[in-house]
């Protein structure tokens, strides 16, 4: 199709700036992409129970009904009917004067109050000379297909959100383990400080400083427990279920490594991403809407008719051929007085088509940038994680050294506390960095198409 003259659709670049890879992992189904069995079960539950996805399915059914409606408009309308009427014509009218002097049966004039009974079929058909009805049907078909792609886009986003939230949960579990391990170390140090205080080696200030550090870590533990509850309930919400414990293997977070994803070439996004296909189908629908709006300016041709039995008495209604009646009428009508309304509708639909073109262009640009951003993110996070790993090792050694120096009287208790705190923060930062690596992998998989096909 041709976009409006003042709208230019930009073409996708031939390659991504950081890759010339032709393989594309978006073709991999999510069941194979995500290797954690607990995560796969959660995604399956979400795909079955999620309310947004169910609502999108109902939208598909509405669009399916719209297709049937527009398809039916192209066919003749036939209805069966039974009617009864009572008529009285004025005596000073042509009908009344004629009836008063006419025998309806030998020796019986037409009654002044004349019943009229009819049983038969009525039909009406608009001949689609200018293609208005066909265009409406094609627009409905395009929107039906668009609704399917819309559901696929929601499914892609849902799979990514469940997976990302699941790794959030595993990261919090790992943080909680580290904090609890740190509390045990700090408690052991506090016990030693208390012994030294009783031996008059240290004063009460050192005891209180270590006690404050222990209580601070215990408070952080409860914060993590609350965060875990919130994240679990977020997963429950995505899965359409009431709060319950999320089954997961808490030991897998550190043992798993984010996969390297093949991105392919940008043009594959046009085929793989459901939001691209949805925007394109909406563009096609707007094209057919515009054709139908143009056809509304032209004359419409209609054929109407009726066939059945008609009589002034129910006893005579089904006598054939005397009571057989039919009508057939063809007509042509062209809009005259309401052309301004048609022009307004045409201008509105024309603007909607321009909007659809712009939305398509925006979707393409956004999709390309999503992939490019996540590719860069993955690359930089990999380097960051290597540095964080070295940082954790260095701070871990500094903690051991500080403890040894403190026990020999060559370091202060404040230096020990700072070393422990810094080491804890470094370990948590490394966990967060790894979580971000998982999320970047998930986001890139989603940006490439998400494995719907």
């Amino acid at each position: 199709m041709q976009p409006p003259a003042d709208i230019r659709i930009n073409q996708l670049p031939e390659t991504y700036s950081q890759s010339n890879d032709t393989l594309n992992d978006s073709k991999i189904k999510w069941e194979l992409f995500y290797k954690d069995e607990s995560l796969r079960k959660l995604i399956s539950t979400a795909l079955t129970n999620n309310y947004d996805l169910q609502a999108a399915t109902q939208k598909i059914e509405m669009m399916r009904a719209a297709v049937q409606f527009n398809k039916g408009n192209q066919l003749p309308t036939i209805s069966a009917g039974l009617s009864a009427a009572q008529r009285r014509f004025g005596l000073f009218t042509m009908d009344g004067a004629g009836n008063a002097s006419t025998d309806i049966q030998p020796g019986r004039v037409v009654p002044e109050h004349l019943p009229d009974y009819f049983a038969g079929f009525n039909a009406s058909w608009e001949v689609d000379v200018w293609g208005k009805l066909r265009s409406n049907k094609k627009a409905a078909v395009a929107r039906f297909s668009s609704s399917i792609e819309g559901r696929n886009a929601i499914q892609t986003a849902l799979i990514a959100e469940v997976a990302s939230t699941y790794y959030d949960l595993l990261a919090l579990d790992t943080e909680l383990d580290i904090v609890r391990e740190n509390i045990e170390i700090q408690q052991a140090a506090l016990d030693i400080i208390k012994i030294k205080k009783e031996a008059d080696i240290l004063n009460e200030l050192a005891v209180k400083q270590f006690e404050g550090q222990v209580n601070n870590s215990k408070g952080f533990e409860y914060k993590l427990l609350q965060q875990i509850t919130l994240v679990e309930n977020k997963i429950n919400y995505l899965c359409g279920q009431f709060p319950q414990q999320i089954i997961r293997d808490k030991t897998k977070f550190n043992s798993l490594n984010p996969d390297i994803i093949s991105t392919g070439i940008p043009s594959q996004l046009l085929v793989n991403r459901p939001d691209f296909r949805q925007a394109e189908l909406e563009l096609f629908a707007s094209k057919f809407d515009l054709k139908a709006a143009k056809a509304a300016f032209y004359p419409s041709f209609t054929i109407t008719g009726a066939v059945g039995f008609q009589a002034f008495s129910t006893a005579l209604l089904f006598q054939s051929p005397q009571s057989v009646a039919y009508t057939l009428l063809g007509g042509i009508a062209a809009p005259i007085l309401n052309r301004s309304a048609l022009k307004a509708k045409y201008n509105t639909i024309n603007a909607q088509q321009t909007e659809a073109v712009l939305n398509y262009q925006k979707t393409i640009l956004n999709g390309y940038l999503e992939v490019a951003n996540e590719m860069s993110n993955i690359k930089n996070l990999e380097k960051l994680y290597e540095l964080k790993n070295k940082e954790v090792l260095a701070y871990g050694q500094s903690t051991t050294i500080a403890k040894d120096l403190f026990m020999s009287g060559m370091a202060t208790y404040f230096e020990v506390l700072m070393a422990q705190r810094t080491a804890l923060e470094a370990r948590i930062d490394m966990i967060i960095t790894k979580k971000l690596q998982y999320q970047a992998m998930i986001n890139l998989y989603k940006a490439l198409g998400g494995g719907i096909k």
Side-chain angles (χ1 to χ4, degrees):
M1 65 167 288
Q2 294 295 324
D6 57 341
I7 297 295
R8 180 174 60 89
I9 294 183
N10 296 326
Q11 299 298 319
L12 278 167
E14 293 183 2
T15 61
Y16 296 108
S17 58
Q18 302 179 28
S19 173
N20 293 319
D21 193 4
T22 57
L23 297 176
N24 193 309
D25 281 348
S26 68
K27 295 290 186 180
I28 300 175
K29 293 183 177 181
W30 66 264
E31 297 96 326
L32 300 176
F33 183 79
Y34 295 110
K35 299 177 175 59
D36 190 311
E37 181 62 27
S38 298
L39 175 56
R40 287 199 295 264
K41 289 180 180 178
L42 289 172
I43 293 175
S44 295
T45 302
L47 294 179
T48 301
N49 299 336
N50 182 263
Y51 292 112
D52 290 334
L53 204 57
Q54 292 182 47
T57 301
Q58 293 309 307
K59 185 175 181 180
I60 292 174
E61 294 305 316
M62 288 188 285
M63 293 300 103
R64 191 195 307 274
V67 171
Q68 295 299 321
F69 175 81
N70 284 280
K71 182 179 180 181
N73 279 344
Q74 293 182 264
L75 303 175
T77 300
I78 300 175
S79 61
L82 180 65
S83 64
Q86 183 78 18
R87 298 182 182 180
R88 181 188 184 281
F89 295 101
L91 293 178
F92 301 119
T93 63
M94 181 176 63
D95 291 324
N99 290 344
S101 60
T102 302
D103 288 346
I104 195 169
Q105 287 180 326
R108 181 185 177 189
V109 297
V110 177
E112 181 181 355
H113 299 280
L114 181 65
D116 185 15
Y117 301 100
F118 177 80
F121 298 93
N122 296 284
S124 177
W125 181 37
E126 180 178 352
V127 184
D128 193 22
V129 176
W130 314 112
K132 179 179 71 175
L133 300 180
R134 289 192 299 273
S135 294
N136 285 334
K137 178 189 172 184
K138 290 178 180 178
V141 170
R143 288 197 169 91
F144 168 68
S145 300
S146 174
S147 67
I148 295 175
E149 297 301 341
R151 183 189 185 279
N152 289 341
I154 292 175
Q155 179 173 321
T156 301
L158 177 62
I159 290 172
E161 190 169 6
V162 172
S164 180
T165 310
Y166 179 79
Y167 284 112
D168 278 347
L169 188 58
L170 291 184
L172 287 171
D173 289 334
T174 307
E175 285 185 49
L176 183 62
D177 291 340
I178 291 174
V179 168
R180 285 174 172 171
E181 176 187 334
N182 198 61
I183 290 173
E184 291 180 1
I185 295 173
Q186 290 174 342
Q187 186 63 53
L190 175 59
D191 293 340
I192 295 174
I193 296 298
K194 287 180 178 179
I195 294 173
K196 287 182 174 290
K197 191 262 181 183
E198 291 175 357
D200 292 329
I201 300 175
L202 294 174
N203 55 33
E204 185 69 16
L205 179 60
V207 174
K208 295 305 179 184
Q209 288 283 352
F210 273 84
E211 281 183 353
Q213 187 71 13
V214 171
N215 290 327
N216 179 269
S217 296
K218 288 181 177 179
F220 189 39
E221 177 186 9
Y222 286 107
K223 287 182 180 179
L224 289 174
L225 288 171
Q226 177 60 21
Q227 290 180 39
I228 288 171
T229 299
L230 295 176
V231 174
E232 280 190 314
N233 284 338
K234 181 180 179 181
I235 294 176
N236 284 320
Y237 173 78
L238 294 173
C239 293
Q241 59 192 16
F242 286 101
Q244 56 187 272
Q245 184 180 7
I246 300 300
I247 305 301
R248 71 267 191 192
D249 187 349
K250 300 179 181 181
T251 64
K252 281 190 174 182
F253 184 81
N254 288 322
S255 61
L256 294 175
N257 290 314
D259 293 334
I260 298 175
I261 299 180
S262 298
T263 58
I265 55 178
S267 61
Q268 293 171 332
L269 295 176
L270 299 173
V271 179
N272 296 337
R273 281 185 61 131
D275 57 336
F276 279 30
R277 298 194 297 270
Q278 182 183 19
E280 184 180 27
L281 288 164
E282 288 293 338
L283 191 55
F284 284 135
S286 68
K287 166 192 171 183
F288 295 120
D289 285 339
L290 195 61
K291 283 187 175 181
K294 287 181 180 178
F297 288 96
Y298 306 142
S300 60
F301 298 88
T302 58
I303 299 174
T304 60
V307 62
F309 296 94
Q310 188 174 21
F312 64 86
S313 172
T314 55
L316 304 174
L317 183 59
F318 295 105
Q319 289 193 9
S320 179
Q322 294 90 339
S323 296
V324 174
Y326 72 88
T327 60
L328 183 63
L329 175 66
I332 179 172
I336 297 177
L337 294 178
N338 66 334
R339 288 184 67 87
S340 60
L342 294 176
K343 288 179 181 178
K345 183 177 180 180
Y346 174 81
N347 291 335
T348 299
I349 293 175
N350 190 40
Q352 288 173 346
Q353 185 186 31
T354 303
E355 182 184 28
V357 173
L358 294 171
N359 181 63
Y360 180 63
Q361 182 64 54
K362 183 183 74 171
T363 304
I364 289 177
L365 177 60
N366 181 66
Y368 179 86
L369 291 176
E370 282 182 356
V371 175
N373 289 341
E374 293 305 330
M375 289 173 63
S376 174
N377 194 23
I378 288 174
K379 183 178 179 181
N380 289 325
L381 284 172
E382 182 180 359
K383 295 179 180 178
L384 177 61
Y385 186 78
E386 292 176 359
L387 293 174
K388 286 294 179 183
N389 190 39
K390 294 177 181 179
E391 181 182 344
V392 168
L393 290 174
Y395 282 131
Q397 293 171 353
S398 70
T399 302
T400 302
I401 294 171
K403 287 170 61 179
D404 292 342
L405 291 174
F406 175 74
M407 296 301 293
S408 61
M410 298 177 64
T412 66
Y413 59 86
F414 181 76
E415 290 174 315
V416 175
L417 291 174
M418 291 302 300
Q420 290 178 345
R421 176 176 293 181
T422 306
L424 175 62
E425 291 174 351
R427 293 180 69 182
I428 291 177
D429 283 346
M430 189 171 74
I431 293 170
I432 293 174
T433 303
K434 189 156 194 174
K435 179 186 72 174
L436 293 175
Q437 284 184 298
Y438 286 125
Q439 290 178 342
M441 173 194 71
I442 293 166
N443 291 337
L444 180 56
Y445 180 61
K446 171 191 169 187
L448 292 172
I452 289 296
K453 296 185 70 175

